[in-house]
Amino acid sequence: MKQVSAKADTERATGDVFAAARGRLPGAGPIPQIRARAFDVYKRAGLPHGGMEDWKYTDLRALIGEVLPLAPQPDAEALVRAKASAKQVAADQAIKLVLVDGIFAPELSDLGRLENEVVVRSLREVLENSVSGAMAGLMLSTTSDSAISLNAAMATDGLVITVAEGNAVKRPIQIVHVATGLSVSTYTRSYLQLGNGAHAAVVESFVPAEGASGYQTNDATIALVGDEASLSHIRVAAAASDAVNISSAIIAAGTRAKLDLFSMTCSGSISRYQGFITLAGEGTKLSANGVNLVRHKLHADTTIVVDHAVPHCTSREKFRAVIDDCGRSVFQGRIVVRPGARKTDAALTTRALLLSDQAEADSKPELEILADDVTCGHGATSGALDDTLLFYLRARGLSEKDAQTLLIKAFIGEPIEEITSENLRDFVTAQAEHWLQAGR
């Protein structure tokens, strides 16, 4: 009975948050109705909880309890703090686009460095332009996932990035999400469209400004990748130690496209990255990799669903987790092979390194094969550092901490090496090394 009451109280509080925010949510024409329908989808399910199979290890109803009020419009002081944080995580040679407390900040962004083949608009601009109603409807489309539905209802801003057919963006585009508030929530939604034969690399960084704490982030990225196009998408989440980060990626790729995806979580209290990737054109190749770096009581969840919708596609997934103290890492990977998707070649591996007796790793690799003539496999392992290797390194003069650090670097190095850009690979490596140094 108490659970029912708690659920009702949570739904009522979330409804109050939505009602209070509606006047600040951009959108002309049908957009308010689309938001209301998305919120109804969310309300029927409520916060994701353990009774939902895809959320069985990450019960947000128990972990966070409630949705916090929407963050206010960032003021001048917030922008100053955000500028300092965005500068600290800037990737080398990247074109920086900054979102502060869920609002695009053009004054902190490198709009003047955009290449001619790239068009960038804010989501707010698109939603308030009735001429763009068709695109707005796509932007605010919902799925059965209640976290994504809540994002559709509450999104205040984001970026609409379009790369024209046949163009290659030479420099990475970095979207920096900066949180400056206390006990507030932010909702951002970005849309990437790569025309046929286009190529681009997009980095998303999540960081707190000095003094930010207790906030909740709900972000969604929707990407449409054309025929023979390629997208490299890298996400690095380093939220405040008591913050919540829920990030979703919905990606569809055409014929003979190439997807290189990477996600790393290295801070925060509760984190969930979920990717829904559809290989919709024949001959498409996917490389999806990730690392969870977990210590203290961080709960980090990575859930990837790869849908092989057509024949002759290839997917590879490599995931690593390093867990210390009382941390918990979750990896769920599901490969779906649709009827008729013959000649599918798919493989998934996940490995966890436990550095303490209290560390926990949950892995759930799945195959759902509905076609013949396919090659699919998965594997999952977990364990501690190899004592023999530690002894070997210490016998050659390394301290115990240095020996452990060297082995951890080697352990997480394999998925990081899959990042095709050397600059972006170095960027991710530097973030991982910072996490290692902070705990040594």
Side-chain angles (χ1 to χ4, degrees), residues 99-118:
L99 294 159
V100 181
D101 294 334
I103 304 295
F104 179 51
E107 62 270 45
L108 303 185
S109 303
D110 299 330
L111 294 176
R113 297 177 59 210
L114 283 171
E115 301 168 37
N116 292 333
E117 57 267 26
V118 183

Side-chain angles (χ1 to χ4, degrees), residues 82-307:
K83 183 177 181 179
S85 295
K87 185 177 180 181
Q88 291 176 0
V89 297
D92 186 36
Q93 300 182 9
I95 300 166
K96 189 166 76 274
L97 304 172
V98 182
L99 294 159
V100 181
D101 294 334
I103 304 295
F104 179 51
E107 62 270 45
L108 303 185
S109 303
D110 299 330
L111 294 176
R113 297 177 59 210
L114 283 171
E115 301 168 37
N116 292 333
E117 57 267 26
V118 183
V119 176
V120 173
R121 290 175 291 168
S122 72
L123 177 68
R124 177 173 291 270
E125 173 192 350
V126 171
L127 297 186
E128 290 181 343
N129 182 355
S130 59
V131 177
S132 300
M135 182 177 286
L138 175 62
M139 293 292 296
L140 293 175
S141 61
T142 60
T143 72
S144 59
D145 184 272
S146 63
I148 297 176
S149 296
L150 182 61
N151 175 277
M154 297 285 289
T156 53
D157 211 344
L159 294 164
V160 179
I161 302 173
T162 305
V163 182
E165 181 175 339
N167 286 306
V169 183
K170 298 178 179 63
R171 287 175 295 197
I173 298 169
Q174 184 178 20
I175 303 172
V176 183
H177 303 257
V178 185
T180 73
L182 302 173
S183 300
V184 291
S185 62
T186 63
Y187 301 85
T188 48
R189 176 170 282 226
S190 293
Y191 173 56
L192 312 174
Q193 183 169 25
L194 275 62
N196 294 339
H199 306 274
V202 177
V203 182
E204 290 199 73
S205 300
F206 295 84
V207 293
E210 183 178 359
S213 70
Y215 58 87
Q216 298 172 357
T217 297
N218 185 325
D219 174 69
T221 299
I222 300 170
L224 298 180
V225 182
D227 296 344
E228 299 183 341
S230 68
L231 171 66
S232 177
H233 183 259
I234 295 169
R235 169 190 175 271
V236 179
S241 61
D242 58 353
V244 177
N245 184 297
I246 308 299
S247 300
S248 305
I250 304 169
I251 302 172
T255 302
R256 292 185 298 279
K258 185 177 180 183
L259 300 176
D260 291 309
L261 312 179
F262 181 88
S263 174
M264 182 167 74
T265 297
C266 49
S267 187
S269 173
I270 300 160
S271 175
R272 161 91 168 199
Y273 170 71
Q274 50 181 9
F276 303 93
I277 303 133
T278 301
L279 309 183
E282 293 192 26
T284 289
K285 295 182 178 180
L286 164 69
S287 175
N289 307 289
V291 175
N292 278 350
L293 301 175
V294 182
R295 63 165 59 99
H296 306 312
K297 293 184 179 181
L298 170 60
H299 179 112
D301 179 338
T302 297
T303 295
I304 306 292
V305 180
V306 178
D307 187 345

